[in-house]
Amino acid sequence: MALAERPASVAGDREATTVLHVGGLLYAGEKAIVEGALTHRPGVVAVDANPVAQTATVTFDRNQTSVEELRRWVEEWRLPLRRSVRARARVRPASAGGI
């Protein structure tokens, strides 16, 4: 069941904040990856990812991007990241072999 995203709240004339569902993207160790990727999107001012809730609170410049554009980008980014996570899970480090 998908988490409903909260509508953007306005923080001044240009900035707005919204909470996006990033389920399937966010693991505790990947908080910084999700925050970094979203922060580099045009118009994004700040990101606070929550691995437990599987959400990212995003503050953005409404003149440069929109909730719809951010949501679309998260959906497009989700599949390649899931593949990457699955691939890393299959690769296990070689045993030291009793050294």
Side-chain angles (χ1 to χ4, degrees):
M1 180 173 140
L3 176 69
E5 293 161 357
R6 283 190 252 162
S9 60
V10 178
D13 289 338
R14 296 179 62 171
E15 288 185 4
T17 300
T18 191
V19 178
L20 299 174
H21 174 64
V22 293
L25 293 181
L26 196 56
Y27 299 90
E30 295 177 339
K31 173 181 168 60
I33 294 169
V34 171
E35 289 177 345
L38 280 166
T39 299
H40 285 96
R41 298 297 305 158
V44 173
V45 176
V47 178
D48 181 28
N50 182 330
V52 175
Q54 298 278 293
T55 61
T57 301
V58 182
T59 301
F60 61 97
D61 182 330
R62 294 182 303 153
N63 293 332
Q64 295 183 31
T65 193
S66 66
V67 172
E68 293 78 20
E69 192 172 317
L70 292 167
R71 185 181 305 128
R72 185 172 37 252
W73 184 81
V74 167
E75 288 302 317
E76 291 170 2
W77 192 57
R78 188 176 300 206
L79 184 58
L81 184 63
R82 281 185 183 161
R83 287 180 184 151
S84 172
V85 168
R86 279 192 224 124
R88 280 185 280 150
R90 286 192 294 262
V91 176
R92 304 234 189 275
S95 171
I99 294 177

